[in-house]
Amino acid sequence: KMLKEARKKNTMPATPRLSGAQRAVLSVYRKMLKEARKKNTMPATPRLSGAQRAVLSVYRKMLKEARKKNSPDVLIQQIRLKFRENQHIPRRQMNKIEYYLSYARNQLEIMKNQQNVTVSKVSVIPNTKKESL
């Protein structure tokens, strides 16, 4: 009785009630999933090659580094744009992939070493720390 009153007052969220047919479908679905897991026929995430993993790693690192900068939104947009432009390179063109991967790694190092990065025609404000002897 208290539960009904709480639901009427909207102080307690209503739980969805399943019909008999919905429960039966859900039960069959759960059994199928359980059997598929046992047989190891579950659709797994696609296996990535070494180059694909390397590209994703550099991409994530660049996005992470961009978030630390002064204008992260613009920088992140440019990073995404560059990676999207080159995402359709065939897997067999390893020379091209390695070239762009090394270019991305160099850009990542530049991003890490610079204090302020602005994205425009005049692109970079270098790190101005001076070491004393």
Side-chain angles (χ1 to χ4, degrees), residues 3-15 17:
L3 287 175
K4 287 182 182 178
E5 290 174 11
R7 285 188 183 134
K8 284 180 184 177
K9 294 178 183 177
N10 282 334
T11 57
M12 186 174 161
T15 56
R17 303 263 181 196

Side-chain angles (χ1 to χ4, degrees), residues 3-131:
L3 287 175
K4 287 182 182 178
E5 290 174 11
R7 285 188 183 134
K8 284 180 184 177
K9 294 178 183 177
N10 282 334
T11 57
M12 186 174 161
T15 56
R17 303 263 181 196
L18 298 177
S19 69
Q22 289 173 326
R23 281 194 302 267
V25 168
L26 189 59
S27 174
V28 169
Y29 178 72
R30 286 181 181 152
K31 286 178 185 176
M32 287 172 47
L33 281 175
K34 199 173 191 180
E35 289 174 16
R37 285 189 188 115
K38 284 180 184 177
K39 294 178 182 177
N40 201 16
T41 58
M42 284 289 292
T45 56
R47 292 188 181 217
L48 302 176
S49 69
Q52 288 172 321
R53 276 185 269 143
V55 168
L56 283 175
S57 173
V58 170
Y59 178 72
R60 287 186 193 119
K61 288 176 185 177
M62 287 183 87
L63 291 178
K64 187 176 180 180
E65 195 64 33
R67 288 186 190 101
K68 297 177 186 177
K69 302 301 178 187
N70 290 342
S71 57
D73 297 334
V74 177
L75 199 54
I76 288 172
Q77 280 181 338
Q78 282 201 341
I79 292 168
R80 287 181 176 159
L81 179 67
K82 279 294 185 186
F83 275 84
R84 282 191 190 123
E85 284 174 1
N86 297 315
Q87 79 180 18
H88 299 292
I89 297 173
R91 290 183 183 183
R92 293 183 181 174
Q93 292 184 357
M94 286 304 295
N95 290 337
K96 202 171 194 179
I97 293 171
E98 287 296 325
Y99 169 76
Y100 283 118
L101 188 57
S102 66
Y103 177 78
R105 286 182 179 142
N106 289 338
Q107 292 300 311
L108 177 61
E109 287 303 313
I110 290 170
M111 285 174 61
K112 284 182 180 179
N113 293 333
Q114 290 173 345
Q115 187 175 10
N116 295 322
V117 175
T118 57
V119 181
S120 66
K121 298 280 183 186
V122 181
S123 62
V124 178
I125 300 171
N127 190 351
T128 56
K129 290 183 180 178
K130 294 183 178 178
E131 296 180 14

